[in-house]
CSV table of all heavy atoms in Angstrom, one decimal:
chain,number,residue,atom,x,y,z
A,5,ASP,N,-88.6,62.3,-12.7
A,5,ASP,CA,-88.3,62.2,-14.2
A,5,ASP,C,-86.8,62.0,-14.4
A,5,ASP,O,-86.4,61.2,-15.3
A,5,ASP,CB,-88.9,63.4,-14.9
A,5,ASP,CG,-90.4,63.4,-14.9
A,5,ASP,OD1,-91.0,62.3,-14.7
A,5,ASP,OD2,-91.0,64.5,-15.0
A,6,ARG,N,-86.0,62.8,-13.7
A,6,ARG,CA,-84.6,62.7,-13.9
A,6,ARG,C,-84.1,61.4,-13.5
A,6,ARG,O,-83.2,60.8,-14.1
A,6,ARG,CB,-83.9,63.8,-13.0
A,6,ARG,CG,-84.2,65.2,-13.6
A,6,ARG,CD,-83.4,66.3,-12.8
A,6,ARG,NE,-83.7,67.6,-13.3
A,6,ARG,CZ,-83.1,68.7,-12.7
A,6,ARG,NH1,-82.4,68.6,-11.6
A,6,ARG,NH2,-83.4,69.9,-13.3
A,7,ILE,N,-84.6,60.8,-12.3
A,7,ILE,CA,-84.1,59.5,-11.9
A,7,ILE,C,-84.5,58.4,-12.9
A,7,ILE,O,-83.7,57.6,-13.2
A,7,ILE,CB,-84.8,59.2,-10.5
A,7,ILE,CG1,-84.2,60.1,-9.4
A,7,ILE,CG2,-84.5,57.7,-10.2
A,7,ILE,CD1,-84.8,59.8,-8.1
A,8,VAL,N,-85.7,58.5,-13.4
A,8,VAL,CA,-86.2,57.6,-14.5
A,8,VAL,C,-85.3,57.7,-15.7
A,8,VAL,O,-84.8,56.7,-16.3
A,8,VAL,CB,-87.6,57.8,-14.8
A,8,VAL,CG1,-88.0,57.0,-16.0
A,8,VAL,CG2,-88.5,57.5,-13.6
A,9,GLU,N,-85.0,59.0,-16.1
A,9,GLU,CA,-84.2,59.2,-17.3
A,9,GLU,C,-82.8,58.6,-17.1
A,9,GLU,O,-82.2,58.0,-18.0
A,9,GLU,CB,-84.1,60.7,-17.6
A,9,GLU,CG,-83.4,61.0,-18.9
A,9,GLU,CD,-83.4,62.5,-19.2
A,9,GLU,OE1,-84.1,63.3,-18.5
A,9,GLU,OE2,-82.6,62.9,-20.1
A,10,MET,N,-82.2,58.9,-15.9
A,10,MET,CA,-80.9,58.4,-15.6
A,10,MET,C,-80.9,56.9,-15.5
A,10,MET,O,-79.9,56.2,-16.0
A,10,MET,CB,-80.4,58.9,-14.2
A,10,MET,CG,-80.1,60.4,-14.2
A,10,MET,SD,-79.6,61.0,-12.6
A,10,MET,CE,-78.1,60.0,-12.3
A,11,GLY,N,-81.9,56.3,-15.0
A,11,GLY,CA,-82.0,54.8,-14.9
A,11,GLY,C,-82.1,54.2,-16.3
A,11,GLY,O,-81.4,53.2,-16.6
A,12,ILE,N,-82.9,54.9,-17.2
A,12,ILE,CA,-82.9,54.4,-18.6
A,12,ILE,C,-81.6,54.5,-19.3
A,12,ILE,O,-81.1,53.6,-20.0
A,12,ILE,CB,-84.0,55.2,-19.4
A,12,ILE,CG1,-85.4,54.9,-18.8
A,12,ILE,CG2,-83.9,54.8,-20.8
A,12,ILE,CD1,-86.5,55.7,-19.4
A,13,SER,N,-80.9,55.6,-19.1
A,13,SER,CA,-79.6,55.8,-19.7
A,13,SER,C,-78.6,54.8,-19.1
A,13,SER,O,-77.8,54.2,-19.9
A,13,SER,CB,-79.1,57.3,-19.4
A,13,SER,OG,-80.0,58.2,-19.9
A,14,LEU,N,-78.6,54.6,-17.8
A,14,LEU,CA,-77.7,53.6,-17.2
A,14,LEU,C,-78.0,52.2,-17.7
A,14,LEU,O,-77.0,51.5,-18.0
A,14,LEU,CB,-77.9,53.7,-15.7
A,14,LEU,CG,-76.9,52.8,-14.9
A,14,LEU,CD1,-75.5,53.1,-15.2
A,14,LEU,CD2,-77.2,52.8,-13.4
A,15,GLY,N,-79.3,51.9,-17.8
A,15,GLY,CA,-79.6,50.5,-18.3
A,15,GLY,C,-79.2,50.4,-19.7
A,15,GLY,O,-78.7,49.3,-20.1
A,16,LEU,N,-79.4,51.4,-20.5
A,16,LEU,CA,-79.0,51.4,-21.9
A,16,LEU,C,-77.5,51.3,-22.1
A,16,LEU,O,-77.0,50.5,-22.9
A,16,LEU,CB,-79.6,52.6,-22.7
A,16,LEU,CG,-79.3,52.7,-24.2
A,16,LEU,CD1,-79.9,51.5,-24.9
A,16,LEU,CD2,-79.8,54.0,-24.8
A,17,ALA,N,-76.8,52.0,-21.2
A,17,ALA,CA,-75.3,52.0,-21.3
A,17,ALA,C,-74.8,50.6,-20.9
A,17,ALA,O,-73.9,50.0,-21.5
A,17,ALA,CB,-74.8,53.0,-20.3
A,18,VAL,N,-75.4,49.9,-19.9
A,18,VAL,CA,-75.0,48.6,-19.4
A,18,VAL,C,-75.3,47.6,-20.6
A,18,VAL,O,-74.4,46.8,-20.9
A,18,VAL,CB,-75.7,48.2,-18.1
A,18,VAL,CG1,-75.4,46.7,-17.8
A,18,VAL,CG2,-75.3,49.0,-17.0
A,19,VAL,N,-76.5,47.7,-21.1
A,19,VAL,CA,-76.8,46.8,-22.2
A,19,VAL,C,-75.9,47.0,-23.4
A,19,VAL,O,-75.4,46.0,-24.0
A,19,VAL,CB,-78.3,47.0,-22.7
A,19,VAL,CG1,-78.6,46.2,-24.0
A,19,VAL,CG2,-79.2,46.6,-21.6
A,20,THR,N,-75.6,48.2,-23.7
A,20,THR,CA,-74.7,48.5,-24.8
A,20,THR,C,-73.3,48.0,-24.5
A,20,THR,O,-72.6,47.4,-25.4
A,20,THR,CB,-74.6,50.1,-25.0
A,20,THR,OG1,-75.9,50.6,-25.3
A,20,THR,CG2,-73.6,50.4,-26.2
A,21,LEU,N,-72.8,48.1,-23.3
A,21,LEU,CA,-71.5,47.6,-22.9
A,21,LEU,C,-71.4,46.1,-23.0
A,21,LEU,O,-70.5,45.6,-23.6
A,21,LEU,CB,-71.2,48.0,-21.5
A,21,LEU,CG,-69.8,47.6,-20.9
A,21,LEU,CD1,-68.7,48.2,-21.7
A,21,LEU,CD2,-69.7,47.9,-19.4
A,67,SER,N,-68.6,55.3,-26.6
A,67,SER,CA,-70.0,55.2,-26.9
A,67,SER,C,-70.8,55.1,-25.7
A,67,SER,O,-71.9,55.8,-25.5
A,67,SER,CB,-70.3,54.1,-27.9
A,67,SER,OG,-69.6,54.2,-29.1
A,68,VAL,N,-70.4,54.3,-24.7
A,68,VAL,CA,-71.1,54.1,-23.5
A,68,VAL,C,-71.1,55.4,-22.7
A,68,VAL,O,-72.2,55.7,-22.1
A,68,VAL,CB,-70.5,52.9,-22.7
A,68,VAL,CG1,-71.1,52.9,-21.3
A,68,VAL,CG2,-70.7,51.6,-23.4
A,69,VAL,N,-70.0,56.1,-22.6
A,69,VAL,CA,-69.9,57.3,-21.9
A,69,VAL,C,-70.9,58.4,-22.5
A,69,VAL,O,-71.5,59.1,-21.8
A,69,VAL,CB,-68.5,57.9,-21.9
A,69,VAL,CG1,-68.4,59.3,-21.4
A,69,VAL,CG2,-67.6,57.0,-21.0
A,70,GLY,N,-71.0,58.4,-23.9
A,70,GLY,CA,-71.9,59.3,-24.5
A,70,GLY,C,-73.3,59.0,-24.2
A,70,GLY,O,-74.1,59.9,-24.0
A,71,ILE,N,-73.7,57.7,-24.1
A,71,ILE,CA,-75.1,57.3,-23.7
A,71,ILE,C,-75.4,57.8,-22.3
A,71,ILE,O,-76.5,58.2,-22.0
A,71,ILE,CB,-75.2,55.8,-23.8
A,71,ILE,CG1,-75.1,55.3,-25.3
A,71,ILE,CG2,-76.5,55.3,-23.2
A,71,ILE,CD1,-75.1,53.8,-25.4
A,72,LEU,N,-74.4,57.8,-21.4
A,72,LEU,CA,-74.6,58.3,-20.0
A,72,LEU,C,-74.8,59.8,-19.9
A,72,LEU,O,-75.0,60.3,-18.9
A,72,LEU,CB,-73.4,57.8,-19.1
A,72,LEU,CG,-73.3,56.3,-18.9
A,72,LEU,CD1,-72.1,56.0,-18.1
A,72,LEU,CD2,-74.6,55.8,-18.1
A,73,GLY,N,-74.6,60.5,-21.1
A,73,GLY,CA,-74.8,61.9,-21.1
A,73,GLY,C,-73.5,62.8,-20.9
A,73,GLY,O,-73.6,64.0,-20.8
A,74,VAL,N,-72.4,62.1,-20.8
A,74,VAL,CA,-71.1,62.8,-20.6
A,74,VAL,C,-70.7,63.3,-22.0
A,74,VAL,O,-70.7,62.5,-23.0
A,74,VAL,CB,-70.0,61.9,-20.0
A,74,VAL,CG1,-68.7,62.7,-19.9
A,74,VAL,CG2,-70.5,61.4,-18.7
Side-chain angles (χ1 to χ4, degrees):
D5 294 336
R6 289 182 181 179
I7 291 176
V8 172
E9 184 178 349
M10 290 177 60
I12 293 175
S13 298
L14 182 60
L16 183 60
V18 171
V19 171
T20 302
L21 179 63
S67 301
V68 170
V69 170
I71 292 174
L72 291 173
V74 178

